[in-house]
Each structure stands twice: as C-alpha cells, then as structure tokens.
Amino acid sequence: MLIKPVLNAELFGSTPNGEEIKLYTIEIPGVIKASIMDFGATLTHLYVPDRNGKMEDVVLGFDDLAGYQKKEYQENYCYLGSTIGRVGGRIRGNQFELDGVTYKLEPNQGKIHLHGGKEGWDRKVWNAKPINHDSAIGVEFSLKSPEGGDYPGEIDFSVIYSVNPEGELSIEYRGTTDKATILNPTNHSYFNLGGDFSKSILDHTLRLEASRFLPIDENSFPTGELAAVENTPFDFTNPKEISVAIHQNHEQIKLGNGIDHSFAFDVQEKCASLYDPISGRLLELTTTEPGVQVYTSNFLNGNIRGKGDVAYKQHAAICLETQHFPDSINQKDFPSVVLRPGEVFSSKSIFKFSAQ
Ligand code: BGC
C-alpha cells in the first residue's frame, strides 16, 4: 500500500544576522525521511532503511545550524548537501565570454572560482513554500539572484525537493533570466549508504551508464575531451567496487586525488546506482541532466567534525552531482549552459532507495 508523505517544519537555528532558519522534513514512516533547510536549500538528513528495515541517515552534514555556520566549514567550501549555483564546478581562468563580453569571476577555493564562488547559492537564505501536487509532497525553495558581482543577468530560480508515495526523492530546478547568462545548478549531497560516517565508502559499488568520462588537467579542469572509459579505472558500466577504481595506478586518478570527474550518461533512466553490500542499501538515480560529477570526497581530511562529532575523513562519502559538464562555457563541444531571456531552464533528478 502506498502512503502519502507528510511534511513538518521546525526551527533549525538562527543566522548571525538573526534570520530564523527552518528545517522541513518530508516523511513516509519506515520508508524515507528527508530534511532540508532554507539555508543553502540544503539536504541535511536523509534516513532510509537497510535490509533489516533499520532507518539510518545516509548523508553527511551537521546536527544543527551552528555546524553549517562555523567559519572553518564556510571557508572549506566542501558544500555538505547544498544547492550549488549558479554554476557547478570550476571555471577555467576564472572567466568566460558571452555575446562578446568577458566576465571575470572571483576565486573562492584557492585561486579558483568553484561552485558559484563566495556568493554561491549554498550560503543564501531561500524562500520556502510547501507544495503538494500529483500526490508528491515537498518544499519549493526560491531566490532571486541579482545581477552584479560575478555573473550577468538576474536569475529567478527555484529548487523543489519532493517525495512521492513510492518514496522517491526528487530534486527539480527551474530558472529564468532577464539577460543572457550561464546556469548549471546541482545538489552536493555526500552519500554514505552504510550510515556510519566514520567508515569510508570504498567498499560501496558504483554503476554508471556512461561509456565516456571527462579527463581533467592538473588544476582539475576538464581538458575538453570525452574519453572512452573502456580499460580505465573509470569504467563503471558494470557495478564495481570504488576501491578497485581509486587504487589503480592511473594518471587521472592521481590528478583527481581519487575520482573527481564528470561522466557523460548514455541513458537518463536509472543511469547510476550506488550499493552498500553491508547494509544492503541501494540508491538508483534517474536524471534529465547529460552527466554527473562523481567526487569521492578526496579533500575531506578529518578537520570537519559533523553529526555526532564524527570527523569527516577522506572517502567518507561520495557525491553524485547531476549536471551539465563543468566549464561548459569555455568548451565549445560541451552541451551549452547559456540561458537567455524567454527560455526556461528545467532539470530533474530522482533518487530512489531500496535495500537488498
Ligand atoms: C568538486 C571537488 C571539490 C568538491 C568540494 C566537487 O564537486 O569536483 O573538486 O573539492 O566539490 O568543493
């Protein structure tokens, strides 16, 4: 029997400016319980059952708002569960040209502009509105991203998190602009399906319906090539343990310090899955996006202590960031991320959990 999800809202904390941050929880008891806060439109908790029905949280984050507001976290730019915008990934040379105008972007991670920069959407307080349509229950988070600073054009943007009676979690984006700009949002959740964040995800298996991946250079920018995964550690066309891939002696694994690469999907439906053989939890992904940035949390180093005061170490989790390819604006052969007035950007990714 299918059960309609329920939505609850509670206070999660206040920002240093005194803005109250709410936590919205969408739940089907025993099936899924997802919490999202309006700071960064961030997925903070995601409880799903293991093969014995035990509900555990499978995404990295903090127990309270204070954790997300700490200086060392904010300056680390690791984006636990946040909505990323305007543009996911690194932009080569911290600049791009659009309609003959060059736009320069401020660096935020070292010398590089990453994931929308210092004024990224991960650190904005979003407007939230409960939604209830087609039997899915959720919350629409919206913001107006003003022109100025880095990117051209004012963007009206929304992200809808919802759960349907089948227990699937959807993340949908919609955006419009008043002037030509670039837009490539994603969600930056760190999954560890074992639910114990002191352990790594190296024994999880990953399947990607992707016969090509995007090699990177020494600064982690895609080179522009779409390379065959065949005979490389990046071949996940059959499910493969992540440790097998990242322990191979391969130039691209060294450059990424693990996997920190985009993959081009061959299909959209069930294009990826992640499985934890110990708990039996399985995540299956479907997306309208052409690719996914897979990041095996290579740069977590134990400095950040998250839920339950657990130190988040290297490979504690894996991000599956469905999106257009990084640095697309500087790569003429990648699908375009340009958004023009009158166009509507829309995108949807579905995260389906089960256990076996
Ligand atoms: C990027 C990594 C980065 C991480 C956290 C990922 O999407 O690909 O290189 O370190 O986000 O910012």
Side-chain angles (χ1 to χ4, degrees):
M1 195 188 62
L2 296 177
I3 301 174
K4 203 167 171 168
V6 291
L7 174 69
N8 283 303
E10 64 194 298
L11 191 64
F12 196 46
S14 298
T15 67
N17 306 333
E19 285 165 294
E20 288 194 341
I21 299 301
K22 284 209 176 107
L23 188 69
Y24 298 85
T25 298
I26 319 165
E27 181 174 17
I28 302 177
V31 177
I32 186 167
K33 185 175 166 190
S35 299
I36 310 105
M37 65 167 163
D38 39 27
F39 181 74
T42 302
L43 180 68
T44 60
H45 301 78
L46 180 59
Y47 288 83
V48 289
D50 71 2
R51 63 165 78 81
N52 300 313
K54 185 174 177 207
M55 301 289 283
E56 275 174 315
D57 194 1
V58 295
V59 291
L60 267 53
F62 298 99
D63 294 314
D64 52 23
L65 180 68
Y68 294 90
Q69 304 262 306
K70 277 198 185 135
K71 195 163 176 274
E72 64 263 29
Y73 171 67
Q74 291 275 313
E75 287 177 355
N76 185 286
Y77 292 102
C78 62
Y79 305 92
L80 303 182
S82 337
T83 295
I84 302 290
R86 296 184 179 188
V87 177
R90 296 166 173 75
I91 298 185
R92 187 182 283 272
N94 298 336
Q95 66 176 48
F96 66 94
E97 199 187 301
L98 182 58
D99 298 339
V101 180
T102 300
Y103 296 94
K104 293 202 186 297
L105 306 169
E106 207 190 331
N108 57 316
Q109 204 189 48
K111 293 190 169 134
I112 289 171
H113 179 92
L114 173 79
H115 292 331
K118 286 187 176 155
E119 289 296 313
W121 294 350
D122 56 290
R123 42 202 71 203
K124 302 285 175 213
V125 180
W126 297 58
N127 296 314
K129 187 175 86 185
I131 56 129
N132 177 352
H133 56 64
D134 297 339
S135 62
I137 296 286
V139 182
E140 175 173 359
F141 297 91
S142 58
L143 56 69
K144 242 185 217 311
S145 173
E147 170 163 59
D150 290 349
Y151 296 96
E154 179 181 86
I155 292 187
D156 264 317
F157 190 77
S158 64
V159 46
I160 298 177
Y161 287 84
S162 65
V163 172
N164 65 13
E166 284 78 28
E168 296 167 338
L169 173 70
S170 290
I171 306 182
E172 288 168 79
Y173 304 108
R174 191 179 178 283
T176 55
T177 183
D178 63 355
K179 185 173 166 188
T181 190
I182 56 176
L183 178 61
N184 189 16
T186 190
N187 176 273
H188 211 288
S189 288
Y190 286 71
F191 295 100
N192 179 328
L193 299 181
D196 178 351
F197 305 144
S198 66
K199 302 217 168 91
S200 88
I201 47 76
L202 293 181
D203 56 358
H204 285 31
T205 58
L206 179 66
R207 177 189 61 87
L208 295 171
E209 294 293 331
S211 52
R212 292 166 308 156
F213 80 110
L214 278 63
I216 54 174
D217 67 14
E218 60 290 349
N219 289 316
S220 289
F221 294 112
T223 60
E225 191 195 350
L226 279 167
V229 296
E230 217 176 343
N231 300 320
T232 77
F234 300 89
D235 188 352
F236 290 98
T237 51
N238 288 309
K240 187 166 74 185
E241 206 174 290
I242 292 168
S243 64
V244 172
I246 70 173
H247 289 140
Q248 274 187 51
N249 184 13
H250 190 280
E251 185 59 19
Q252 282 296 319
I253 293 287
K254 283 188 212 145
L255 287 172
N257 210 16
I259 302 171
D260 193 1
H261 293 77
S262 275
F263 292 75
F265 285 132
D266 302 324
V267 297
Q268 309 306 132
E269 190 79 16
K270 296 205 176 157
C271 49
S273 59
L274 181 69
Y275 178 64
D276 169 31
I278 307 211
S279 67
R281 291 192 184 93
L282 172 70
L283 160 58
E284 290 169 293
L285 184 60
T286 292
T287 186
T288 57
E289 287 299 309
V292 64
Q293 174 80 9
V294 177
Y295 171 58
T296 47
S297 53
N298 314 325
F299 301 116
L300 291 183
N301 60 10
N303 281 353
I304 289 174
R305 304 188 83 88
K307 293 170 184 168
D309 204 34
V310 170
Y312 290 158
K313 294 188 278 212
Q314 190 182 41
H315 310 315
I318 178 170
C319 302
L320 300 170
E321 306 158 43
T322 50
Q323 59 185 110
H324 278 50
F325 305 145
D327 198 33
S328 289
I329 188 66
N330 291 315
Q331 295 289 350
K332 63 177 177 14
D333 295 330
F334 289 178
S336 171
V337 294
V338 174
L339 182 70
R340 295 186 180 280
E343 295 173 347
V344 178
F345 171 88
S346 70
S347 162
K348 181 172 184 173
S349 297
I350 303 170
F351 299 81
K352 180 184 164 63
F353 295 90
S354 57
Q356 32 184 265

